[in-house]
Amino acid sequence: MSRIAKSIFSPKLADYFDTLVTIYPVKRSALVPMLLYAQDEVGYVSEAVIQEVAQRLDLFDLDVRSVLSYYSMLRTKPAGKFNVQVCTNISCMLRGGYEILEHCKRRLGIEHKQTTADGLFSLEEVECIGDCCSAPAMQVNYEFHDELTPAKVDEILNEYAAEDRK
Ligand code: FES
């Protein structure tokens, strides 16, 4: 195992990564899970994350960067505190997914992959999030919201904004 002199991650996550690299037959297989955990803790996949993950897996930084460009759920810039992901895949599209996306854009004043000036919300158009039966659907961080209407979206976004003020 590559020894990390001073990890950028919390001691708990660094310990978990020490274990994670041992459970796959090929060390590199831990790359995507490791990046997702790192993103959850750091907020995005920063340069420092790339370097430490590469070191832990005995990879080049470039190996990590090539994975980043492939997986849309990995981001290299900080997202808002609440990352709004609106599905426009087939079931959602047929039930107003684009209307919901456009409503979010107007309401938040941002476009796909942008973050509000106060850092509270970011917005993404995404592929199926597995909630097709209750389309149209969106995900905010790890919470699902479905059977959406523009009015329901407003309520949901108001609740997150209120949560931030607590
Ligand atoms: S198509 Fe939108 S959740 Fe599946």
Side-chain angles (χ1 to χ4, degrees), residues 4-15:
I4 304 294
K6 183 156 177 23
S7 176
I8 64 160
F9 303 117
S10 64
K12 187 177 172 197
L13 188 59
D15 285 349

Side-chain angles (χ1 to χ4, degrees), residues 14-106:
D15 285 349
Y16 181 62
F17 283 173
D18 287 345
T19 306
L20 196 63
V21 297
T22 66
I23 64 176
Y24 294 97
V26 178
K27 230 176 175 184
R28 187 191 179 108
S29 303
L31 177 55
V32 172
M34 200 177 267
L35 288 172
L36 287 168
Y37 282 114
Q39 177 170 272
D40 277 351
E41 184 169 279
V42 176
Y44 68 109
V45 181
S46 64
E47 278 302 307
V49 168
I50 292 172
Q51 287 165 16
E52 181 167 332
V53 167
Q55 192 183 346
R56 284 178 174 275
L57 298 176
D58 297 327
L59 297 171
F60 294 111
D61 291 3
L62 188 60
D63 296 322
V64 178
R65 281 182 221 287
S66 62
V67 165
L68 285 179
S69 60
Y70 186 78
Y71 289 95
S72 60
M73 71 276 205
L74 294 167
R75 55 180 176 268
T76 54
K77 289 185 190 149
K81 179 173 181 182
F82 303 110
N83 190 32
V84 179
Q85 297 179 300
V86 180
C87 174
T88 55
N89 220 186
I90 188 74
S91 300
C92 289
M93 181 188 76
L94 293 172
R95 293 178 52 87
Y98 279 108
E99 187 190 348
I100 296 300
L101 178 64
E102 291 307 314
H103 183 75
C104 287
K105 286 181 181 177
R106 275 195 304 276

